[in-house]
Amino acid sequence: MKRFLHNLAVGICSLVYALVGLVFGVCTGFIVVQLIQLIFGVTMVSPAVRWAVAGWAIVLAVFAASAYLRSPAGDRFSRGES
């Protein structure tokens, strides 16, 4: 039961990291789209740029979760085992 709760906590935390990465990716992507509109003076950004922004957000979400899961287990949670 203890191992199950530990794995559940790790799963929940990795999900939170993925959501934070996704939000960060969306925010930085929105800033990039706004800069493109400001610099080039276009009102409509092409769908290719929007897909690139969506891909960027997904990549950041995956990297955030995998970085958390690859961190040493002692840094994540203490299992109480000595």
Side-chain angles (χ1 to χ4, degrees):
M1 183 69 172
K2 194 176 194 181
R3 184 161 176 82
F4 170 75
L5 291 176
H6 174 72
N7 290 338
L8 181 66
V10 169
I12 290 171
C13 287
S14 65
L15 180 67
V16 168
Y17 269 68
L19 289 176
V20 168
L22 187 65
V23 168
F24 183 73
V26 167
C27 290
T28 56
F30 177 76
I31 291 170
V32 167
V33 168
Q34 293 302 314
L35 284 174
I36 288 172
Q37 288 178 342
L38 181 69
I39 292 170
F40 296 112
V42 294
T43 56
M44 194 73 157
V45 177
S46 72
V49 173
R50 292 175 193 246
W51 279 104
V53 168
W56 168 249
I58 291 170
V59 165
L60 280 182
V62 169
F63 281 164
S66 66
Y68 175 74
L69 291 174
R70 289 189 158 271
S71 68
D75 292 346
R76 288 184 273 178
F77 291 101
S78 172
R79 289 188 186 179
E81 299 172 4
S82 299

